[in-house]
Amino acid sequence: QVQLVESGGGLVQAGGSLTLSCAASGRTFSTYAVGWFRQTPGKEREYVGMINWSGVSTYYADSVKGRFTISRDNARNTAYLQMSSLTPEDTAVYYCAAGVDGSSSYQYWGLGTQVTVSS
C-alpha cells in the first residue's frame, strides 16, 4: 500500500516557476513508477509525464516538454514536478500517482494540489 500527498501548489504569475512534491508512505515506493497528471473543471484528466522507479527514464506530454521536469528521491520517498515558463493554460489540479513500473496503469493516487497561473 502506498499513500501519496502532493504539496507545493499555489498562485504564480505567467512565466514563473513552481515545484510540486509528491510524498509517499510505504517502503515499496522506490519500486513504483510515478506519474503526474492534471485536471481542470469540465475536462478529462491530462497526462503530464512520468518517471520510472529508478529515476533514469522520464517521459513528458508534448504540452509540457521542455518546461517541466520530473525527478525523484527514493531515499526521501518523494517525487517532484518542476514547472517553469508557466502559462494560464497550466492552471489545474495536479495529481501524482504510483503504479507498477513498466505498466501503464496507476494504482495509487494523491488528492491533488491546485496550481493557478495568472496572466
Side-chain angles (χ1 to χ4, degrees):
Q1 188 79 6
V2 176
Q3 292 184 322
L4 304 173
V5 178
E6 302 93 339
S7 63
L11 176 64
V12 62
Q13 288 189 329
S17 301
L18 206 60
T19 297
L20 306 183
S21 298
C22 173
S25 64
R27 291 178 292 178
T28 59
F29 174 73
S30 62
T31 67
Y32 287 94
V34 173
W36 285 94
F37 297 79
R38 64 187 182 184
Q39 190 168 24
T40 55
K43 293 188 177 181
E44 291 189 357
R45 185 171 58 202
E46 178 187 7
Y47 168 80
V48 173
M50 65 84 64
I51 188 167
N52 79 323
W53 71 274
S54 66
V56 169
S57 300
T58 53
Y59 303 91
Y60 300 94
D62 287 343
S63 58
V64 306
K65 200 173 295 182
R67 301 188 299 121
F68 289 13
T69 302
I70 299 173
S71 61
R72 68 189 297 165
D73 184 341
N74 285 340
R76 296 178 182 273
N77 273 9
T78 303
Y80 304 95
L81 177 64
Q82 296 175 271
M83 306 182 291
S84 62
S85 302
L86 287 163
T87 73
E89 288 67 40
D90 296 314
T91 295
V93 177
Y94 283 73
Y95 300 89
C96 65
V100 174
D101 195 73
S103 78
S104 59
S105 63
Y106 295 89
Q107 290 76 47
Y108 306 105
W109 291 82
L111 296 179
T113 186
Q114 175 72 47
V115 172
T116 303
V117 184
S118 63
S119 58

